[in-house]
Amino acid sequence: MSELAWWQRGVIYQVYPRSFQDSNGDGIGDLSGISARLEYVAALGVDAVWISPIYPSPMADFGYDVADYCNIDPMFGTLDGFKQLMGHAHRLGLKVLLDFVPNHSSNRHPWFEESRSSRDNPKRDWYLWRDPSPDGGPPNNWLSRMGGSAWEWDEVTGQYYYHAFLREQPDLNWRNPQVRRAMDQVLRFWLDLGVDGFRVDVLWLLIKDAQFRDNPPNPGYLPGEPDHHRLLQTYTEDQPDVHELVRSMRATLDEYGERVLIGEIYLTVPQLVKYYGVNGEGAHMPFNFQLLSARWNAENIARMIRDYDVALPEYAWPNWVLGNHDNPRVASRVGAAQARVAAVLLLTLRGTPTLYYGDEIGMTDGYIASDQIQDPAELRQPGICQGRDPERTPMQWDGSLPNAGFTEGKPWLPIATATSVREQDGDMASMLSLYRRLLSLRRGSAALVRGTIENVVAEGDVLTYERRYGNQCLFIALNMGADAATVQSHAGMVLLSTVTTRIGDAFVQGANLLAASEAVIVIVDSPS
Ligand code: GLC
Ligand code: CA
């Protein structure tokens, strides 16, 4: 088996920078804060930190509206501060990944300001400008993912511009070669500084139908769903031309040695795997988000694992994401007991795991009172859009009141729950200890890092599978139910269990008992 790249061996840890650690009392996390917590991150046992956007931004979408792709927002720090953070991370053996947001800029980006200034401005064609339809309304029926029409009327030049998200986030025109060149230079700017790779924002939306055809109605639309679900995204997402763009980003990264290109893509598995590119010259890892919305039962998860494994082309490296800043936290999705099972699942599946900050201490979604809502998506679609603030609350470092060691000031979002890193630190039964054990076990196990996944089976509430490499076999059993259950196993020894007292126990050939919500990793004595 060929040598694996670091991003294949490693585990990615996502930091939402506003919420990790504040260092100056303004209630918003920053780069000095992240830097001060890197020892914690390294000791946790992960390999790379992906930091959500830290570029200068009016923060209409908390940094996903970039006003300068090659600098740092003063709220977060400075470019020098970023270089220091990266140096610090690298000394600790951590890779640093940035969030690249190429689909849209801020409406305050100088490119857009020029583009909107006149119809014959050289940057006019850098964005998507269209005349009104004959009735004077928007050029077509495309809808914004933040609610309402995706077209914004601009008085100055008498045309509409397209925005897949907020009107403050105009979409760039990726059919324009100058845009491609400018964005390529952005990648090179950060690669030259030593950044280890990128998570590319909304990669599957990058290019739109050249003819701007109307999207067809969605026959499956249910009232109460977000507005844009009224239409199928036939002409606004996953266009065939996108793959050529992915390939060219990848080619740029390849010039720099071992860097990683990850794509944010919410699509079905058959569509998703196309983003690996023909022969694997696309994204290294199109994010696999299936666990974020999976019905949490053994049969469904088993099917998901098997189907994904089968759908992957042979050159494609798998990956799994358990949480992120756009979806409810795992502990809230599946409950505290099953969140421990989910941790074992994430770190024993085949492929690179991505872990969301705070999930390692079992943080739950925070309660956000209506007058505390920050998320623009929720503010603009009240009652319809499930807000994203609950999963973005500050990291809980210690039990200090009222702000859990996150800030000396008033945190931009309230603290979610009482638990903390400090409280869980020395407690062998804590979620944090479970994650540390899992990460260290995974790091030392060829079967977990590079082995095959086989015999993925659901029986009742119990999901089992094997990870095999050479003559080593690990048997993993997850009880996804709230009752004790038996599981058929080979003889072996329990390397890890969510029930800590069981570690080192024997598993017999035949039936073994699992406690409610117990997950075990068993090293099989004599694998066949
Ligand atoms: C991605 C980000 C999300 C953001 C959107 C627009 O989905 O993860 O937070 O709102 O893109 O940039
Ligand atoms: Ca701060």
Side-chain angles (χ1 to χ4, degrees):
M1 183 162 187
S2 60
E3 252 327 288
L4 296 182
W6 65 263
W7 51 268
Q8 295 173 304
R9 295 187 304 268
V11 176
I12 299 170
Y13 184 82
Q14 181 190 356
V15 164
Y16 194 66
R18 295 179 70 84
S19 301
F20 204 54
Q21 177 68 63
D22 177 24
S23 70
N24 64 353
D26 67 357
I28 298 170
D30 45 52
L31 298 189
S32 309
I34 296 173
S35 208
R37 294 298 188 180
L38 284 178
E39 270 80 9
Y40 163 82
V41 176
L44 189 59
V46 300
D47 301 84
V49 198
W50 149 36
I51 310 175
S52 289
I54 47 182
Y55 316 106
S57 165
M59 303 289 165
D61 191 19
F62 296 120
Y64 284 98
D65 47 325
V66 179
D68 178 354
Y69 285 97
C70 298
N71 214 330
I72 301 293
D73 194 282
M75 177 184 285
F76 293 126
T78 62
L79 198 51
D80 276 335
F82 174 72
K83 291 180 196 164
Q84 284 164 25
L85 183 158
M86 193 162 55
H88 184 188
H90 285 164
R91 284 191 298 282
L92 290 168
L94 291 168
K95 307 286 185 185
V96 176
L97 311 182
L98 286 183
D99 213 310
F100 180 47
V101 191
N103 178 69
H104 44 267
S105 71
S106 161
N107 61 341
R108 309 283 294 281
H109 195 295
W111 296 343
F112 186 72
E113 287 180 342
E114 280 182 53
S115 183
R116 107 192 298 180
S117 65
S118 75
R119 288 201 189 197
D120 54 13
N121 184 279
K123 292 215 167 54
R124 183 64 171 181
D125 185 48
W126 281 41
Y127 293 84
L128 299 167
W129 292 99
R130 305 292 286 173
D131 285 330
S133 67
D135 69 2
N140 67 20
N141 72 351
W142 293 356
L143 295 173
S144 155
R145 291 168 181 265
M146 301 281 198
S149 170
W151 294 98
E152 180 73 7
W153 173 250
D154 198 56
E155 257 332 310
V156 187
T157 53
Q159 279 191 315
Y160 284 90
Y161 67 85
Y162 176 75
H163 56 91
F165 294 89
L166 301 172
R167 68 174 71 87
E168 293 89 339
Q169 295 168 296
D171 281 45
L172 282 147
N173 176 15
W174 274 83
R175 295 188 187 276
N176 181 323
Q178 291 173 7
V179 168
R180 298 184 190 193
R181 255 196 314 278
M183 282 301 190
D184 188 61
Q185 278 157 16
V186 171
L187 290 176
R188 290 172 190 279
F189 173 84
W190 295 106
L191 291 166
D192 285 334
L193 283 185
V195 163
D196 300 289
F198 302 93
R199 170 270 193 190
V200 187
D201 193 59
V202 297
L203 188 54
W204 84 113
L205 305 183
L206 212 50
I207 199 157
K208 295 64 164 154
D209 181 41
Q211 299 168 52
F212 294 89
R213 282 170 281 187
D214 272 353
N215 275 328
N218 171 10
Y221 174 77
L222 299 171
E225 279 187 61
D227 221 25
H228 70 279
H229 288 187
R230 289 172 194 279
L231 303 177
L232 298 174
Q233 303 295 313
T234 313
Y235 297 115
T236 41
E237 66 175 33
D238 196 31
Q239 301 298 295
D241 299 341
V242 74
H243 296 291
E244 170 204 338
L245 303 176
V246 182
R247 199 158 56 233
S248 107
M249 287 179 196
R250 167 66 179 274
T252 296
L253 264 72
D254 280 349
E255 288 178 36
Y256 287 81
E258 252 189 32
R259 316 284 171 110
V260 68
L261 186 68
I262 302 173
E264 185 206 21
I265 301 157
Y266 286 89
L267 288 174
T268 63
V269 168
Q271 294 170 305
L272 180 70
V273 297
K274 296 209 178 108
Y275 286 75
Y276 283 103
V278 179
N279 296 323
E281 80 279 21
H284 293 106
M285 294 193 287
F287 260 151
N288 168 14
F289 291 134
Q290 293 179 87
L291 289 174
L292 294 176
S293 53
R295 270 175 301 113
W296 199 251
N297 66 64
E299 201 184 310
N300 186 46
I301 305 287
R303 188 177 337 106
M304 181 180 290
I305 297 169
R306 286 192 302 254
D307 292 353
Y308 181 58
D309 211 48
V310 169
L312 287 173
E314 117 318 289
Y315 48 77
W317 185 255
N319 76 91
W320 296 89
V321 178
L322 193 58
N324 65 26
H325 63 294
D326 293 326
N327 289 280
R329 282 192 180 269
V330 60
S332 292
R333 299 197 309 266
V334 304
Q338 284 296 316
R340 294 171 69 86
V341 176
V344 178
L345 177 69
L346 176 71
L347 289 161
T348 57
L349 285 173
R350 187 171 89 85
T352 303
T354 298
L355 173 61
Y356 185 49
Y357 85 94
D359 282 351
E360 76 275 25
I361 55 169
M363 275 174 63
T364 53
D365 288 344
Y367 169 73
I368 312 293
S370 54
D371 62 347
Q372 291 174 316
I373 298 173
Q374 303 281 339
D375 179 13
E378 186 177 11
L379 288 171
R380 290 174 207 208
Q381 307 169 86
I384 297 176
C385 169
Q386 184 173 27
R388 300 172 296 178
D389 296 329
E391 61 264 20
R392 296 176 177 181
T393 63
M395 181 66 179
Q396 297 157 197
W397 294 105
D398 59 45
S400 67
L401 292 172
N403 295 326
F406 165 70
T407 180
E408 308 268 272
K410 182 176 182 308
W412 76 288
L413 283 173
I415 306 298
T417 36
T419 190
S420 70
V421 169
R422 181 174 302 164
E423 177 193 88
Q424 297 191 15
D425 199 16
D427 174 3
M428 285 307 288
S430 70
M431 184 70 134
L432 182 58
S433 297
L434 174 65
Y435 263 103
R436 285 178 177 151
R437 274 199 306 277
L438 277 165
L439 285 158
S440 124
L441 185 68
R442 183 181 173 97
R443 178 177 303 276
S445 164
L448 290 180
V449 172
R450 63 183 65 209
T452 54
I453 186 160
E454 294 172 32
N455 296 323
V456 183
V457 175
E459 221 183 288
D461 283 334
V462 180
L463 167 65
T464 57
Y465 48 91
E466 292 167 5
R467 298 295 314 275
R468 286 175 179 262
Y469 184 72
N471 57 6
Q472 198 185 93
C473 172
L474 298 181
F475 173 74
I476 291 112
L478 312 173
N479 183 357
M480 306 185 72
D483 299 311
T486 54
V487 57
Q488 298 295 323
S489 165
H490 305 291
M493 187 187 77
V494 177
L495 288 182
L496 180 142
S497 164
T498 51
V499 179
T500 46
T501 47
R502 189 158 193 185
I503 296 165
D505 284 6
F507 243 49
V508 298
Q509 172 83 36
N512 293 271
L513 200 63
L514 291 178
S517 295
E518 181 179 8
V520 294
I521 304 176
V522 174
I523 180 156
V524 174
D525 287 342
S526 38
S528 47

